[in-house]
Amino acid sequence: MAATGSEKQGTKAYYVSTPIYYVNDAPHLGHAYTTVAGDVLTRWHRQRGEKVWYLTGTDEHGQKIMRTAEANGVTPQEWCDKLVEEAWKPLWEHLEIANDDFIRTTERRHTDRVQEFVQDLYDKGEIYKGGYEGPYCVGCEEYKLPGELLDGEGEYAGEKLCPVHKKPVEILKEENYFFKLSEYGPKLLEFYESDPGFIQPESARNEVVNFVKQGLQDLSISRSTFDWGIPIPWDEKHVIYVWVDALLNYATAVGYNENPAKFEDTFPANVHLVGKDILRFHAIIWPAMLMAQGLPVPGRIAANGWLMVGGEKMSKSNLTGIKPQDLTSHFGVDAYRWYFLRAIAFGQDGSFSWEDFSARYTSELANDYGNLASRVAAMVGKYFGGSLPEATADGEAEKAVRAGLAKAVAEADRKIGEELDFQGGILAVFDFVKQVNGYITEQEPWKVAKDESEEGRARLATILYTAAESLRAVTVLLNPVMPDTSQKLWDSLGAEASLGALADQRVQDAAEWGGLPAGSTVTKGAVLFPRLEEPNKA
């Protein structure tokens, strides 16, 4: 779905990508986690007034897809078409993902450009023909180094296992074409040193640097034992290695060799969001390919951790894949978007449990945030007939609230917009929500309302205006995280009539006090975070 909002024309887009996901099965929480993170990041930058491009999509070639399709009695293309249209795209729409493009690697706009890219490298002498034999994981679509493999136990006793999928590797021997990756080790190390923030978090950076320091092997960029892939243009008995094919989506989707103006305006990505298990492809192979082609490298490779269930990485192969809809049907879409970024520090592994989600939903969303919104609307309705009063009796307590808001805005903007610390940014906003709750508790407007003097009415008006104006700012800050809830509260505050569309509000300006004008019609809408029923987890 296309993004909307004000944009600065004539500047490079803030370009963010997710991995393109294998369509061997329906998406699970791990896929959605990365995609929601990218959506929050790009929504945040849109609300800074920046031009943004958010790309996601699907990786549809390779042996794993071919075998899955065969097992289901359909062609690989039929399998991909079905999964994309019935599972992947509908889920992103369900989760309110505002992606600007969705690329599929079976599209001509991609396949033709991939062939041109590889042909160009071949013509430059960066690719040569050779043979290779080694352990190969079909799940990873990657040759493994012998030192990486695990010793099998139980049913796999005597076999070597992939460290990611815990399944036996296959020993493959093929005549392939190779990219001279080994020549780029020194260039990559020099680049990593010149740009320490290129790979994040630091633990991921250290892993990549140490791996490259051990020496890189040339990369097999073709396969000849199956045909589900993009043919090598000069030798159609081979198909292009699926990872070379997949990585190039970040260029082909924004006009590589097809739309020079768009390509210049967008490429390279500011941020590639990836899972840590595919970090090496993005932090080693991808920049090396770009260097070989004389193209600029991305601004940042940000590796998120794994979602864990019962100590295991969440995945279909480990039978721990949970459908996002299992959670959204119970907690709601906005709470889902909020929870994973709030509960797990981006870049680190994190465990999921129903119990933790329920506890945080009740404590932070329902009790802290939802109850604050409900109380403020109810009191404006009860004491001022739903018309937001003017603040004329400011004191030290109000100054403290304004200072707290300024701190929350600055911290959230830095953490989310720059550092990709979604948890830290969300916590900064919710610390302010707690401060406003404390302010109301201390000021006791229900007691002040009993004072019908002019001073008493002025004080009551100031308390309720301060609370409502605080909610106005919180709504702007949380809109990238919880767009549906934020719109409901924006409407409840009567902000649309005086301030315009919520999407056009600037996060960096949210602390400018007095944005919500006195006289705004405040209504008590539906409960933002309803009480949870007992889940059916059967």
Side-chain angles (χ1 to χ4, degrees):
M1 64 192 76
T4 61
S6 301
E7 297 179 342
K8 295 177 182 176
Q9 299 300 322
T11 58
K12 182 187 178 300
Y14 184 81
Y15 175 21
V16 176
S17 72
T18 70
I20 52 171
Y21 304 107
Y22 275 129
V23 289
N24 58 311
D25 212 327
H28 58 60
L29 293 185
H31 304 117
Y33 173 59
T34 309
T35 310
V36 168
D39 187 63
V40 170
L41 178 61
T42 47
R43 283 177 182 265
W44 193 275
H45 279 266
R46 287 191 192 103
Q47 283 200 229
R48 280 179 163 186
E50 298 173 19
K51 183 161 59 176
V52 167
W53 196 259
Y54 183 33
L55 174 68
T56 188
T58 45
D59 185 0
E60 303 183 9
H61 290 130
Q63 195 169 15
K64 181 162 57 174
I65 302 293
M66 186 183 72
R67 289 184 179 180
T68 303
E70 289 173 350
N72 285 274
V74 295
T75 68
Q77 189 66 64
E78 288 171 336
W79 178 254
C80 294
D81 291 346
K82 178 180 175 62
L83 264 290
V84 168
E85 297 303 326
E86 296 181 8
W88 290 87
K89 285 184 176 180
L91 178 62
W92 295 164
E93 292 178 7
H94 175 63
L95 294 178
E96 299 289 343
I97 305 301
N99 52 293
D100 296 276
D101 195 4
F102 187 104
I103 189 165
R104 300 179 56 183
T105 57
T106 51
E107 294 176 314
R108 284 289 300 272
R109 63 168 172 153
H110 175 74
T111 58
D112 289 354
R113 304 292 86 75
V114 169
Q115 286 187 312
E116 291 165 5
F117 187 100
V118 173
Q119 180 71 59
D120 198 26
L121 288 185
Y122 183 71
D123 293 343
K124 290 177 177 178
E126 296 283 350
I127 292 173
Y128 65 91
K129 195 172 189 178
Y132 191 79
E133 181 177 8
Y136 190 85
C137 172
V138 174
C140 292
E141 297 281 10
E142 179 188 21
Y143 280 103
K144 297 293 182 179
L145 297 175
E148 295 180 278
L149 302 178
L150 304 176
D151 291 324
E153 298 178 354
E155 64 174 311
Y156 297 137
E159 298 187 79
K160 293 293 185 179
L161 310 185
C162 166
V164 176
H165 291 90
K166 310 295 193 299
K167 297 285 182 66
V169 294
E170 303 176 12
I171 301 300
L172 295 183
K173 183 176 183 179
E174 289 185 286
E175 180 185 69
N176 295 333
Y177 287 93
F178 289 80
F179 168 57
K180 297 179 179 177
L181 181 64
S182 60
E183 295 183 1
Y184 287 87
K187 296 178 184 178
L188 288 168
L189 290 172
E190 182 180 352
F191 172 66
Y192 301 151
E193 185 175 355
S194 69
D195 187 359
F198 173 65
I199 304 169
Q200 295 181 354
E202 187 176 357
S203 58
R205 179 184 185 278
N206 293 339
E207 175 200 322
V208 169
V209 170
N210 290 335
F211 183 83
V212 176
K213 282 183 177 178
Q214 295 172 18
L216 297 176
Q217 295 182 340
D218 287 346
L219 176 70
S220 170
I221 63 123
S222 73
R223 299 291 307 279
S224 57
T225 55
F226 62 91
D227 61 1
W228 179 239
I230 302 173
I232 291 279
W234 64 87
D235 187 347
E236 295 200 350
K237 295 192 297 294
H238 293 250
V239 294
I240 296 169
Y241 175 43
V242 67
W243 267 106
V244 172
D245 165 2
L247 288 165
L248 280 166
N249 93 91
Y250 305 128
T252 62
V254 294
Y256 171 74
N257 260 19
E258 186 173 29
N259 187 337
K262 180 176 178 59
F263 190 70
E264 183 177 351
D265 193 44
T266 313
F267 195 83
N270 296 74
V271 180
H272 286 314
L273 298 176
V274 303
K276 67 179 184 180
D277 51 335
I278 57 173
L279 174 64
R280 291 181 189 173
F281 298 102
H282 288 81
I284 299 173
I285 296 173
W286 179 226
M289 287 167 56
L290 293 172
M291 289 175 179
Q293 197 65 289
L295 292 172
V297 299
R300 190 183 328 184
I301 308 293
N304 61 257
W306 287 340
L307 293 184
M308 315 292 282
V309 175
E312 287 283 342
K313 177 196 174 188
M314 190 173 294
S315 69
K316 293 292 182 183
S317 58
N318 287 335
L319 302 180
T320 55
I322 299 174
K323 292 190 299 183
Q325 296 91 331
D326 295 339
L327 300 183
T328 59
S329 63
H330 181 64
F331 296 99
V333 170
D334 272 10
Y336 175 96
R337 289 170 58 96
W338 168 86
Y339 170 74
F340 287 97
L341 298 182
R342 157 66 184 91
I344 299 169
F346 195 79
Q348 299 179 18
D349 293 345
S351 296
F352 161 77
S353 74
W354 280 86
E355 293 73 18
D356 184 60
F357 198 160
S358 296
R360 293 184 190 276
Y361 176 100
T362 301
S363 173
E364 297 179 44
L365 293 184
N367 293 349
D368 288 348
Y369 185 29
N371 191 42
L372 173 63
S374 180
R375 293 167 75 197
V376 171
M379 287 190 285
V380 172
K382 180 177 181 179
Y383 300 127
F384 293 95
S387 179
L388 184 65
E390 185 177 358
T392 60
D394 272 4
E396 291 302 315
E398 287 71 41
K399 290 180 182 177
V401 170
R402 292 197 290 271
L405 175 58
K407 177 184 176 183
V409 171
E411 193 168 335
D413 193 29
R414 184 184 77 253
K415 287 185 176 294
I416 295 176
E418 301 300 331
E419 299 173 6
L420 277 60
D421 179 3
F422 302 102
Q423 183 186 65
I426 291 171
L427 286 176
V429 179
F430 273 79
D431 282 345
F432 177 66
V433 169
K434 291 178 181 178
Q435 180 183 354
V436 178
N437 273 313
Y439 164 80
I440 290 177
T441 299
E442 291 170 4
Q443 300 306 313
E444 299 181 310
W446 48 90
K447 288 187 178 180
V448 175
K450 296 176 181 178
D451 181 355
E452 296 184 0
S453 68
E454 186 176 334
E455 291 80 6
R457 292 291 289 174
R459 186 69 200 136
L460 178 62
T462 298
I463 295 168
L464 294 183
Y465 180 85
T466 300
E469 170 66 352
S470 297
L471 282 172
R472 186 272 312 164
V474 168
T475 302
V476 173
L477 295 174
L478 291 180
N479 189 45
V481 183
M482 296 188 284
D484 184 56
T485 301
S486 297
Q487 186 62 54
K488 289 177 181 176
L489 184 51
W490 191 250
D491 293 339
S492 173
L493 293 169
E496 190 96 13
S498 55
L499 300 177
L502 177 55
D504 291 335
Q505 309 304 307
R506 298 287 164 257
V507 292
Q508 66 269 33
D509 299 335
E512 291 185 5
W513 195 259
L516 190 61
S520 296
T521 300
V522 178
T523 55
K524 188 176 181 181
V527 175
L528 296 182
F529 302 101
R531 185 175 67 87
L532 296 173
E533 302 295 331
E534 281 297 312
N536 179 11
K537 295 183 283 182

